[in-house]
């Protein structure tokens, strides 16, 4: 499963990139606004930090012509950019055209397998099934991820299923079980993936025993 960081904060991308296991980055208008810098400069810096990564950057028009214009502009900035488009009728029509033009797309704000079907039929490169926002209203957000994976595999769509709106490490575990191709998570969640009390205690015990034995390497 690919791991993306979900942020507009280039400092977070830089820190996570040091781990050497990051496959990309997803942004959205709220994350870019929160970062407080220009859209293009932020996206291009993330592309530099992750030269092999897949970097999602979202249009903000809501009509087809506006989305197409913005998507072509954003895609022209860097070959690693995947253009994010919301799952609306105009968005699906936009993705269909972008697919024909060879521009990669990430269809976002997807909550049901029926919405995911529309994205897959339009040729979406990534389908962003939001999990946390569904959990937030006492429903099983990961269910639609599993259903979408099953649909993509059963009908042979080329789309990759991306578990988004991830709130905690358990969502990553569940995304793995669901067969998601990608999970995108905030820095805090990615950092939490490393943590386990038994790892900390075990390392401390190793080092304590080593020190007590007065050993050294070389
Ligand atoms: O990429 C989509 C993601 O940013 C949404 O997450 O936490 O705003 O539901 P959240």
């Amino acid at each position: 499963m690919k791991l993306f960081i979900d942020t507009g904060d280039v400092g977070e991308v830089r820190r996570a990139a040091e781990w050497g296991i990051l496959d990309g980055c997803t942004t959205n208008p709220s994350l870019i606004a929160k970062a407080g810098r220009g859209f293009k400069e932020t996206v291009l810096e993330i592309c530099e930090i992750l030269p092999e990564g897949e970097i999602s950057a979202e249009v903000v028009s809501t009509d087809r012509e506006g989305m197409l214009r913005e998507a072509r502009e954003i895609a022209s900035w860097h070959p690693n950019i995947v253009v994010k488009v919301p799952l609306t009728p105009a968005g699906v029509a936009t993705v269909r055209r972008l697919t024909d033009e060879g521009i990669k797309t990430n269809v976002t704000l997807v909550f049901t397998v029926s919405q995911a079907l529309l994205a897959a039929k339009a040729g979406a490169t990534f389908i962003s099934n939001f999990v946390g926002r569904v959990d937030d209203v006492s429903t099983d957000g990961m269910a639609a991820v599993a259903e979408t994976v099953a649909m993509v595999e059963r009908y042979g769509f080329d789309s990759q299923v991306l578990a988004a709106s991830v709130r905690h490490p358990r969502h990553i575990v569940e995304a793995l079980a669901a067969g998601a191709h990608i999970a995108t998570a905030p820095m805090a969640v990615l950092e939490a993936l490393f943590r386990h009390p038994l790892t900390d205690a075990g390392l401390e015990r190793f080092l304590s025993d080593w020190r007590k034995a007065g050993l050294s390497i070389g």
Side-chain angles (χ1 to χ4, degrees):
M1 185 170 81
K2 295 180 195 173
L3 271 182
F4 290 180
I5 185 169
D6 192 38
T7 187
D9 182 327
V10 297
E12 289 184 344
V13 178
R14 205 174 293 282
R15 290 202 311 277
E18 288 172 4
W19 300 330
I21 48 92
L22 204 56
D23 300 298
C25 176
T26 49
T27 71
N28 65 41
S30 300
L31 292 172
I32 296 293
K34 180 181 175 184
R37 292 176 56 196
F39 180 31
K40 182 174 181 180
E41 67 176 294
T42 299
V43 171
L44 286 179
E45 187 166 344
I46 293 171
C47 290
E48 283 175 30
I49 297 167
L50 297 171
E52 303 301 317
E54 297 171 286
I55 315 302
S56 291
E58 190 162 340
V59 297
V60 292
S61 284
T62 55
D63 65 296
R64 181 177 175 274
E65 289 316 307
M67 287 179 176
L68 282 171
R69 183 177 62 255
E70 291 173 356
R72 291 165 181 148
E73 165 64 21
I74 293 168
S76 74
W77 296 346
H78 195 283
N80 293 11
I81 288 175
V82 180
V83 179
K84 239 183 182 183
V85 180
L87 195 286
T88 62
V92 167
T94 298
V95 170
R96 179 71 269 165
R97 170 62 72 83
L98 294 174
T99 301
D100 296 341
E101 295 179 8
I103 293 175
K104 287 186 173 182
T105 54
N106 177 351
V107 177
T108 190
L109 290 169
V110 173
F111 295 91
T112 65
V113 67
S114 49
Q115 286 180 312
L117 171 64
L118 304 175
K121 288 182 69 65
T125 310
F126 302 150
I127 300 171
S128 283
N129 283 83
F130 279 39
V131 178
R133 295 191 189 187
V134 177
D135 287 8
D136 291 347
V137 291
S138 309
T139 310
D140 179 3
M142 197 59 73
V145 173
E147 291 168 343
T148 301
V149 170
M151 174 195 73
V152 162
E153 291 176 351
R154 181 175 299 127
Y155 293 96
F157 289 117
D158 291 332
S159 303
Q160 297 174 57
V161 181
L162 190 160
S165 188
V166 164
R167 294 276 193 276
H168 44 67
R170 185 76 202 148
H171 276 158
I172 299 294
V173 174
E174 292 168 0
L176 286 164
H181 302 91
I182 307 162
T184 192
M187 185 63 171
V189 173
L190 294 177
E191 287 175 326
L193 295 178
F194 288 93
R195 287 196 288 268
H196 194 291
L198 289 178
T199 303
D200 297 341
L203 180 58
E204 180 48 41
R205 176 66 181 274
F206 287 160
L207 299 180
S208 170
D209 291 345
W210 179 267
R211 284 191 294 268
K212 284 175 188 167
L215 294 167
S216 64
I217 295 174

